[in-house]
Each structure stands twice: as C-alpha cells, then as structure tokens.
Amino acid sequence: MRISRGFHYIFQVIIGQLRKILYLCSSMRHLLTYVIALLLLCCCTTERQRTAMRQGLDSLNQRNRTDQPFTVHEADSFVRFFDRHGTPNDRLLAHYLLGRAYHEHGEAPMALQCYHDALDCADTTAADCDFAQLSRVYGQMAELFYYQELYRQQLDHQRCAAQYAWKGKDTLTALICCEKEFLAYDRMGLEDSAMSVIENVASLYEKYGYDTDAAIALGLIVGTLLDKGDYKKARHYMDVYESKSGFFDENNNIEEGREYYYRGKGKYYLLTGHLDSAEYYFRKELSDGKDFNNQNAGANGLAELYKKLNKPDSAAKYYEYSYAMNDSMFAHTATGAIERMQSMYDYTRHEQLARQEKEKATKRLAYIWIATTVILLLIIVLVAIFIYLQYIRQKRKFIEREYQHSLMVIEQAYRDLKQLQEFKDLNQQLIAEKEQLIYEQDVIRKAILKKEKSSREIALRQFKETSIYKKFCKYADTGRQPTNTEWGLLQDAIFNAYPNFSELMTTHCQDVDDREYKICLLIRADFKPNSISTMLTLLPSVITQLRTGLYLKLFGKQGTSKEFDTLLRRIY
C-alpha cells in the first residue's frame, strides 16, 4: 500500500514540476536562475572528475616509479585536464610525467620542454609545495644534460635537485643528488672537486645511517687516489668498499657487472710492489669481466706488469690485445652515442603539427556536442532536481509526522497506564491493552529509527532540546556534578529518544557498575571524554580505561575507546 502511494506521489510531482518548468522558462529572471544552477552542477561534476583524474594521475605516477611503460597520449590527457582544473602540485606532476613519457620514447628536446613547463607550474612559496617532486624534475633534467655532455648544466640542476630534496625532507634523495655532482666534475677533469664531493657526501651518508651508500661512494675515488699517489687512503677506501658495499660474496668476489673494480685493486698492488697480487687481479678481471671495458683494462694492467718485470714479449702481447679491445670499445661507444643522439632527436615537425591539429579537431567536436546538448541537459537536470528535492521534503515531513504520532501514542498510553494502575485489579485487561499498544508503537519507532536517517536526526534534535540535556551541558562547562535525580532524568530522556539504546542498557545493567553506567549515558548523550571526566571527577586516563572495558562488556569484543564511542552513538 505504501509503495503504490509512493509511485502515485512521484507521478503527481513530475506532472506538477513540468508545468512549473513551462511557466518559469517564460521568465528571463528564472532562466538566469537555471543557468546559475547549471554552472553549480557543472562545478560539482568537475570536482568528481578531478578526483577521478587525480587517482588516474597517481596510478600513472606509480607506473613511472616501477618502470612500467606508458604513452605520451596517456600523460598528455592528464596535462590538458589539470592545466584547467588542477592545483600547482597536480600540474607539476602531470607535466613531469609527460616529460618522462617523451624521455622513454627517445625525444629528449620534448622531454626537456615538459620539465621546464613542470618547473613553471610549481609554487615554491606555498606551504604545501611538493618539493620532493620538484627535486625529481631537476634530477631528470640533470640526467638529460649528462647524456648530452653538458656537464655545467648538469651540475647546476643536480644542485637544485639536492636543494629541493632537503626542503622536502627526503634525506637519502638529497644525498644521492649531491653524490651525482661527482660525475660532472669527473667528466670535466676536476679531480680535486670530484674527490671533495665524494668525501663530503660519504661523511653525510654515515651521519644519517646510510653506511652502505657511504662505502659505495668511497669506491668511486679509489682510482683518483692511486693516480695522486695516496696509497694509504686508497687502501682504506678499498677495505671500506669491500666490507660494507654489499657487492662481495663470502669468497670476496664482486657481483657481476662490477668487475672493473679489479683493475683498481690490481693497480694498487702494482704501484705498491705486490706484483703477484697485481697479476692475480688483472687476470681475474680478464676472466670474470666479459665486456670491452674490462678486457681492455685487464690486458692493459698485465702489459704494465710485464713491462715492470722486464718481459717485453708478454708486455707487447697484452698491449696489442689492449689496443684491439680499446678500438672495439671506442667503436661500440661511438655507435651507442650515435644511436642515443638519434633516438633522442627522432621526431619531426610534421608529427608535432599533426598531433596539435588532432587536438584542435577534438576540441571543436567537443564544443559542438556541448552546444547541442546543453539545453536538453539543463531541462533534464532541473526536472530531476525539483522532483528529488520535493520527494525528499515530503518524505521527511511524512516520517516526522509518523515518528511524532508514535511518540504521542506512547506518551498518552503511559499516562493512561499510570491512571489504570491505580486500580490495577479492576483494569487488568485495559492495562494489558495499553502495554501492548506501547510495545507495538515502540517496535514501529525502532524500525523508523533503524531505516530512516531523517528520523534519527529528529530524535537527536528533540533530545538536545530537553531541559535536562541543556542542564548537563552547563555542568560540563562549569565543572558541577549532577544530582542522583538529575541522572535519573537524563536516563529517562535518553531512553525515550533512543529505545534501542534503552534495550541495550537494560540488558546489561547487571554487568556494569554505577560509574560505567553513567559513562554510557554521557557518551550516548554526545558528551566528549573531557566533559565526562569533569562531571564524574575522574582522570581522563581512567575514563579511557573504563570505555575500553565497556567495549568488551557490552559488545563482547576488543576495541579502542574511540571505537566504543562510535559504536554506542550509532544505537538509536
């Protein structure tokens, strides 16, 4: 019956609202109101889209961090959206990811332009500026300059990367950025500066507990120290490198791909006169290291060793092998450099223009679609809003009437019951009827409270309008303790507003003591723990402990005091 009445009501509302729409559309004043409403709705839609797009941007960023491939088109869609609707941090991240996409596709100039655009988006004066992300942008730019052999530019951007990593409280990234300055100084032939960078950053690594990173960093300058003749320090750094870098197994063999270290160690033994050890490590590099670099270094070391041993035939043999490996290494390096430069610049103006034209065509189609559908959407949305608001308003009124009627019936039944109980023997049947009526109305009220949120709001509002609740609020502010009579009145008000809570406390009244019972009442009355502590003259820590114990007593499970409060306040 109630369902059919609801459908009839909705149908009547639709007819009425359509009539209102036809009338209101004849007035420009009301049409302007509609336009404003539509703009507000569009803003809400944009906010929902922004949340979804932000989640997509975070997902793309996660793919970037885990080296999963993504396309320029994917990243570009986020750039176009957040350039219109994003925060400075959103735009910074979107342009950075677009740069990473171009970088991975070998288009270095486009990547560099995207990184510059990302820097322009950053608001370094804002309190929430993403300095860690800004550091990554500068780090990627430094890497591009390194591969293009622009070492001064690399150095400048590496310092900026370190500066913003410090600001973003990313200590390890800041130290790594400082360490990478060594690459620029080393390629520029500034050996003293390169050594100074490594020794300073190694001490900082140790200061912040990154001993492994410190050992790896010190291993970079062993060769420079040998060239300068500082064998003692070189030996110390080698020992640190071998013991703490984590690159060596139990037999002191270095992990695959790092065999060039044997060249440095063999050179140390050669220069300090331990020729057998020098030969051992030079041959170890030849046997373990398979690339041109290792073969060249190992052969060159053996040639220098045999020259020192005055064995010209053996020296000539390894010099010849070293030169052959050096030529192969040079050819390989040159080919790789050409391929790298070609891949970095392998894009054309035609492709760029085609992409731009495609974007313009897409925008034009979008504008046409919006222009042809906006009026229809406007009418549909407004009708839906009117119907929904009217339905909600009428539904709230109906629920409130039904709830108030139930309360009035219960109150009247209690008054009648009280009168009848004065002559209990004569009115047994009437008393039973009244008790049954009270029970039925209580069931109805519990069902309404359980099903309808608006009814719970009514119950809460009516409870907070009671004089006893207001009196307890004053006591909470002044620190005064309520009397026993007032506690009883508070209990009656709460039980009257929240019948399910009344049932819970009645069931467990024997399980809790007086303090715990009062705590439950005050929590359900929506008082904070500090106010409860004041009215019961108990320490906050005691209140917390009692609430935790009540969770187990009332609900039979473990939980925190805050979880107990939340659960208890949900019982109507």
Side-chain angles (χ1 to χ4, degrees), residues 296-314:
N296 173 57
N300 190 59
L302 287 172
E304 292 176 6
L305 172 68
Y306 286 123
K307 180 180 179 181
K308 195 167 187 177
L309 291 172
N310 198 22
K311 295 182 178 180
D313 292 339
S314 297

Side-chain angles (χ1 to χ4, degrees), residues 237-248:
Y237 287 174
M238 284 192 295
D239 291 340
V240 172
Y241 183 77
E242 292 178 13
S243 62
K244 296 183 178 181
S245 67
F247 296 151
F248 294 83

Side-chain angles (χ1 to χ4, degrees), residues 166 170-181 197-220:
W166 286 118
D170 190 347
T171 303
L172 181 58
T173 298
L175 294 177
I176 291 172
C177 292
C178 292
E179 181 185 341
K180 287 182 178 179
E181 293 180 22
V197 164
I198 291 299
E199 289 178 334
N200 288 336
V201 81
S203 65
L204 289 173
Y205 274 135
E206 291 176 349
K207 175 182 176 181
Y208 291 103
Y210 301 110
D211 294 340
T212 299
D213 299 274
I216 295 171
L218 291 175
L220 297 173

Side-chain angles (χ1 to χ4, degrees), residues 155 159 178-202 217-218 220-222 224-225 228 237:
L155 198 58
R159 288 170 178 167
C178 292
E179 181 185 341
K180 287 182 178 179
E181 293 180 22
F182 162 82
L183 299 173
Y185 284 122
D186 184 63
R187 290 301 179 94
M188 289 188 292
L190 302 175
E191 295 179 350
D192 292 336
S193 297
M195 287 180 56
S196 176
V197 164
I198 291 299
E199 289 178 334
N200 288 336
V201 81
L218 291 175
L220 297 173
I221 58 173
V222 168
T224 305
L225 290 169
K228 288 182 171 293
Y237 287 174

Side-chain angles (χ1 to χ4, degrees), residues 289-548:
K290 305 303 181 183
D291 61 21
F292 296 128
N293 206 11
N294 284 306
Q295 294 295 306
N296 173 57
N300 190 59
L302 287 172
E304 292 176 6
L305 172 68
Y306 286 123
K307 180 180 179 181
K308 195 167 187 177
L309 291 172
N310 198 22
K311 295 182 178 180
D313 292 339
S314 297
K317 169 187 172 183
Y318 283 105
Y319 271 132
E320 182 178 355
Y321 184 73
S322 174
Y323 290 146
M325 290 299 102
N326 192 51
D327 289 342
S328 298
M329 183 175 63
F330 177 81
H332 180 74
T333 303
T335 301
I338 292 171
E339 290 175 351
R340 186 169 61 250
M341 294 301 291
Q342 182 179 359
S343 66
M344 285 196 298
Y345 290 92
D346 188 21
Y347 74 97
T348 65
R349 180 64 177 169
H350 174 74
E351 291 172 333
Q352 187 179 13
L353 291 174
R355 181 175 61 84
Q356 291 174 351
E357 287 300 320
K358 184 178 180 180
E359 290 176 357
K360 289 179 181 178
T362 302
K363 288 180 179 179
R364 283 195 296 269
L365 288 174
Y367 291 148
I368 293 171
W369 183 86
I370 292 172
T372 56
T373 58
V374 66
I375 296 176
L376 180 60
L377 287 175
L378 175 64
I379 294 173
I380 293 172
V381 169
L382 289 174
V383 170
I385 290 174
F386 277 133
I387 293 173
Y388 179 77
L389 292 178
Q390 287 284 7
Y391 175 74
I392 292 297
R393 189 179 298 111
Q394 294 298 327
K395 184 180 179 182
R396 287 175 67 91
K397 289 180 179 179
F398 174 78
I399 291 169
E400 186 166 359
R401 285 196 303 269
E402 191 172 5
Y403 183 82
Q404 294 289 4
H405 173 72
S406 181
L407 281 178
M408 289 172 60
V409 171
I410 291 173
E411 289 172 1
Q412 183 62 45
Y414 272 120
R415 286 195 295 269
D416 295 342
L417 185 61
K418 188 175 180 181
Q419 293 176 359
L420 291 169
Q421 284 175 341
E422 294 178 1
F423 305 97
K424 188 173 182 179
D425 294 336
L426 300 176
N427 299 294
Q428 287 293 338
Q429 184 177 354
L430 290 175
I431 290 173
E433 290 175 357
K434 292 296 180 182
E435 288 177 343
Q436 180 64 24
L437 178 62
I438 292 170
Y439 172 78
E440 290 173 354
Q441 290 300 321
D442 246 339
V443 170
I444 292 172
R445 192 157 62 104
K446 288 179 182 179
I448 294 173
L449 286 168
K450 183 177 180 181
K451 182 179 179 182
E452 300 294 343
K453 181 179 178 182
S454 58
S455 65
R456 296 194 289 271
E457 294 171 355
I458 295 167
L460 178 63
R461 184 176 70 248
Q462 290 184 344
F463 169 70
K464 291 194 173 182
E465 289 174 354
T466 61
S467 59
I468 189 62
Y469 172 78
K470 294 176 181 178
K471 185 176 289 188
F472 267 74
C473 288
K474 290 181 180 178
Y475 290 172
D477 294 334
T478 60
R480 181 179 170 185
Q481 281 75 50
T483 64
N484 289 335
T485 302
E486 289 167 339
W487 280 111
L489 292 173
L490 179 67
Q491 172 191 278
D492 292 342
I494 294 174
F495 283 5
N496 184 54
Y498 311 129
N500 289 305
F501 177 77
S502 170
E503 183 177 338
L504 173 72
M505 297 309 298
T506 302
T507 303
H508 293 282
C509 64
Q510 300 298 325
D511 301 331
V512 298
D513 59 28
D514 184 65
R515 292 186 308 175
E516 293 172 330
Y517 190 87
K518 290 176 179 178
I519 287 172
C520 291
L521 292 178
L522 292 173
I523 290 172
R524 192 60 196 86
D526 212 28
F527 286 100
K528 302 300 181 186
N530 288 339
S531 300
I532 298 173
S533 175
T534 300
M535 285 188 279
L536 295 180
T537 63
L538 294 174
L539 293 174
S541 58
V542 175
I543 297 295
T544 301
Q545 184 178 3
L546 290 172
R547 285 152 60 210
T548 304

